[in-house]
């Protein structure tokens, strides 16, 4: 008994020394890694040295706070931090007492535990945090709640090309099929974290899928929107920026749009699919009957998406373009095609490979989609029911000194894009005393 006690005391003294030793040089959080398995989410903070920590959870909205004594976040973590499983987003701030506060915004209440781990193999000091979602009973209750309060909006995301069809290839050998798959997966993750929205992917691995099969996947899932993700390419290395296309019933909006559609459609032949004469006739009849409605929705959602993409940098075309893309020919599902950037432009090729930029693209596309569905919620959805339930009493926020638009969006659980669009804000600047309308969210 005494033996244990003295070992403990010695350990404690060593810990105090270690803390005293690190008081001058702050510990750096070099990396944050997140992954999910069997309903459990693990977060690992890779540290430059040991650091004292304290964690606690907060409700409404659910979040987990990690305070690290005398620590800083590495410069390279300045972009968007990873999310997965129970974690919706990660933020951090250095507090006046030198503590680094890392806040994990959660999709649900969790049980948590944390422990420090010393250097081991290729890893240095780490802080490990495990989050366990609530049990299966809770899942059943959530499913029941969902049933009573309307269905999810379903977004079918279609990463272009795949398998033997690489799509466009950049000068640095980047293949369109790979970068659009990454962007699509990030977008699906973001959509699935939105209450009342669900994403499905037409492919989630490096396989070739025929155009028709892609549309069928969306149809079977009763998708409210089909969004095909691509990267543009031309011989000239200079053109840059995103474009958004919808199907044209008459002809391409211009010669460049026509050539692009021909390039994107060519993979249908590579995959062995021919749009036969019979299909053309059938397609035109179906298109006449129901596509006018879907097309007007497509134009509307496309417009919201290109507006959000324009916030990331110069866009190739400011307005929605039209061309005869085969993959957009579902007669009843509003469909858009996003050319995220020019893979033929060396600096955009580099950006397309960066996960930070891929996340920005996914966020911008999500903001556009979310704006559209907040303005046009399909009637049987959870979003429509929530918007109806609160339409008489939408909230208001009066700006005080120090408020930022992103903090307000976060506080009320609405997207930045939605907040901007319902208040007709063209920039993020705010005036003290200004009143913002806070739209109802699907989750509230
Ligand atoms: Zn493509």
């Amino acid at each position: 008994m005494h033996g244990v006690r003295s070992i403990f005391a010695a350990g404690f003294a060593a810990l105090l020394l270690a803390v005293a030793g690190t008081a001058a040089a702050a510990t750096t959080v070099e990396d944050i890694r997140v992954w999910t398995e069997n309903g459990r989410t693990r977060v690992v903070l890779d540290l430059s040295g040991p650091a004292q920590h304290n964690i606690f959870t907060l409700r409404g909205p659910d979040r987990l706070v990690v305070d690290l004594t005398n620590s800083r976040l590495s410069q390279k973590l300045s972009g968007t931090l990873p999310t997965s499983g129970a974690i919706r987003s990660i933020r951090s701030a250095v507090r006046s007492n030198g503590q680094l506060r890392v806040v994990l915004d959660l999709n649900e209440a969790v049980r948590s535990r944390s422990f420090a781990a010393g250097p081991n193999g290729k890893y240095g000091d780490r802080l490990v945090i495990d989050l366990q979602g609530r049990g299966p009973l809770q899942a059943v209750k959530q499913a029941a709640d969902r049933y009573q309060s309307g269905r999810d909006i379903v977004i079918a995301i279609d990463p272009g090309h795949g398998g033997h069809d690489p799509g466009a290839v950049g000068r640095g050998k980047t293949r369109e099929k790979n970068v659009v798959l990454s962007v699509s997966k990030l977008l699906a993750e973001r959509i699935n974290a939105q209450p009342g929205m669900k994403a499905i992917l037409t492919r989630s691995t490096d396989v070739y899928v025929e155009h028709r099969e892609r549309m069928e996947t969306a149809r079977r899932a009763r998708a409210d929107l089909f969004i095909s993700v691509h990267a543009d390419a031309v011989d000239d290395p200079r053109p840059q920026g995103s474009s958004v296309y919808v199907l044209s019933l008459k002809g391409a909006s211009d010669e460049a749009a026509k050539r692009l559609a021909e390039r994107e459609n060519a993979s249908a032949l590579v995959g062995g699919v021919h749009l036969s004469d019979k299909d053309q006739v059938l397609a035109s009849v179906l298109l006449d009957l129901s596509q006018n409605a879907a097309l007007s929705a497509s134009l509307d959602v496309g417009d919201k998406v290109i507006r959000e993409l324009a916030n990331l940098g110069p866009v190739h075309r400011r307005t929605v373009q039209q061309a005869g893309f085969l993959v957009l020919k579902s007669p009843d599902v509003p469909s858009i095609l996003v050319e995220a950037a020019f893979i033929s432009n060396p600096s955009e090729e580099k950006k397309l490979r960066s996960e930070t930029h891929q996340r920005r693209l996914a966020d911008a596309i999500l903001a556009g989609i979310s704006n559209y569905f907040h303005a046009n919620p399909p009637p049987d959805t959870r979003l429509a029911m929530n918007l109806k339930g609160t339409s008489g009493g939408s909230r208001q926020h009066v700006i005080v000194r120090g408020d930022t638009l992103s903090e307000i969006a976060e506080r009320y659980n609405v997207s930045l894009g939605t907040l901007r669009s319902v208040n007709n804000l063209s920039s993020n600047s705010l005036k003290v005393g200004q009143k913002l309308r806070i739209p109802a969210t699907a989750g509230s």
Side-chain angles (χ1 to χ4, degrees), residues 31-50:
D31 199 6
I32 298 181
R33 295 175 284 139
V34 180
W35 61 97
T36 301
E37 211 178 348
N38 298 327
R40 196 188 70 174
T41 303
R42 171 164 280 187
V43 184
V44 175
L45 274 57
D46 289 300
L47 308 172
S48 63

Side-chain angles (χ1 to χ4, degrees), residues 164 208-211 265-275:
H164 62 73
Y208 182 77
V209 182
E210 293 170 354
H211 286 79
N265 291 344
S267 55
L269 300 172
V270 180
V273 181
H274 299 268
L275 200 71

Side-chain angles (χ1 to χ4, degrees), residues 11-145:
F12 190 63
L15 180 68
L16 284 178
L17 280 174
V19 169
T22 56
T27 303
T28 307
V29 178
E30 312 272 16
D31 199 6
I32 298 181
R33 295 175 284 139
V34 180
W35 61 97
T36 301
E37 211 178 348
N38 298 327
R40 196 188 70 174
T41 303
R42 171 164 280 187
V43 184
V44 175
L45 274 57
D46 289 300
L47 308 172
S48 63
Q52 279 190 320
H53 79 277
N54 181 32
I55 75 169
F56 55 96
T57 51
L58 294 169
R59 301 298 311 267
D62 289 305
R63 53 211 193 275
L64 183 117
V65 178
V66 186
D67 283 335
L68 289 149
T69 306
N70 191 31
S71 300
R72 294 287 179 275
L73 211 59
S74 160
Q75 285 289 341
K76 72 169 180 136
L77 292 178
S78 57
T80 311
L81 294 167
T83 58
S84 175
I87 300 172
R88 198 174 65 229
S89 61
I90 302 181
R91 316 172 262 140
S92 76
V94 176
R95 310 181 76 207
S96 55
N97 60 5
Q99 266 186 354
L100 173 67
R101 172 162 285 188
V102 178
V103 179
L104 312 180
D105 293 308
L106 305 171
N107 293 316
E108 55 172 339
V110 294
R111 290 193 299 270
S112 64
R113 65 175 191 133
S114 67
F115 57 94
N120 181 6
K122 68 172 181 162
Y123 295 113
D125 282 284
R126 285 150 295 155
L127 172 59
V128 181
I129 302 156
D130 284 338
L131 309 174
Q132 177 75 54
R134 296 168 297 185
L137 253 181
Q138 199 63 37
V140 169
K141 188 182 169 299
Q142 279 171 354
D145 286 350

Side-chain angles (χ1 to χ4, degrees), residues 39-300:
R40 196 188 70 174
T41 303
R42 171 164 280 187
V43 184
V44 175
L45 274 57
D46 289 300
L47 308 172
S48 63
Q52 279 190 320
H53 79 277
N54 181 32
I55 75 169
F56 55 96
T57 51
L58 294 169
R59 301 298 311 267
D62 289 305
R63 53 211 193 275
L64 183 117
V65 178
V66 186
D67 283 335
L68 289 149
T69 306
N70 191 31
S71 300
R72 294 287 179 275
L73 211 59
S74 160
Q75 285 289 341
K76 72 169 180 136
L77 292 178
S78 57
T80 311
L81 294 167
T83 58
S84 175
I87 300 172
R88 198 174 65 229
S89 61
I90 302 181
R91 316 172 262 140
S92 76
V94 176
R95 310 181 76 207
S96 55
N97 60 5
Q99 266 186 354
L100 173 67
R101 172 162 285 188
V102 178
V103 179
L104 312 180
D105 293 308
L106 305 171
N107 293 316
E108 55 172 339
V110 294
R111 290 193 299 270
S112 64
R113 65 175 191 133
S114 67
F115 57 94
N120 181 6
K122 68 172 181 162
Y123 295 113
D125 282 284
R126 285 150 295 155
L127 172 59
V128 181
I129 302 156
D130 284 338
L131 309 174
Q132 177 75 54
R134 296 168 297 185
L137 253 181
Q138 199 63 37
V140 169
K141 188 182 169 299
Q142 279 171 354
D145 286 350
R146 193 163 298 148
Y147 179 73
Q148 283 167 0
S149 57
R151 67 171 180 88
D152 285 336
I153 289 172
V154 179
I155 316 284
I157 307 168
D158 173 47
H161 315 279
H164 62 73
D165 170 18
V169 179
R171 285 165 171 75
K173 299 278 181 286
T174 307
R175 291 161 160 222
E176 178 185 355
K177 67 170 183 177
N178 296 329
V179 290
V180 298
L181 181 60
S182 303
V183 172
S184 298
K185 283 182 163 177
L186 289 167
L187 177 59
E189 220 175 78
R190 291 288 204 267
I191 288 172
N192 286 329
Q194 304 289 312
M197 277 195 183
K198 193 178 90 179
I200 56 154
L201 286 157
T202 59
R203 70 175 177 98
S204 54
T205 56
D206 184 15
V207 290
Y208 182 77
V209 182
E210 293 170 354
H211 286 79
R212 189 177 305 275
E213 179 64 30
R214 293 170 193 258
M215 293 188 284
E216 266 315 305
T217 304
R219 277 263 205 35
R220 273 197 303 271
R222 296 168 191 264
D224 296 284
L225 174 68
F226 177 89
I227 170 165
S228 196
V229 183
H230 289 255
D232 210 342
V234 286
D235 288 337
D236 185 343
R238 288 168 299 182
Q240 58 167 337
S242 318
S243 329
V244 173
Y245 287 84
V246 302
L247 181 68
S248 165
L249 300 183
K250 299 196 180 85
S253 28
D254 61 24
E255 196 51 34
K258 188 173 162 225
R259 281 202 304 274
L260 173 66
E262 281 163 6
R263 278 200 305 279
E264 298 289 17
N265 291 344
S267 55
L269 300 172
V270 180
V273 181
H274 299 268
L275 200 71
S276 68
D277 290 342
K278 186 181 97 225
D279 287 335
Q280 291 282 19
V281 173
L282 177 64
S284 66
V285 171
L286 289 172
L287 290 172
D288 281 352
L289 285 177
S290 58
Q291 199 151 36
N292 281 324
L295 188 58
S296 111
S298 306
L299 280 163
D300 201 355

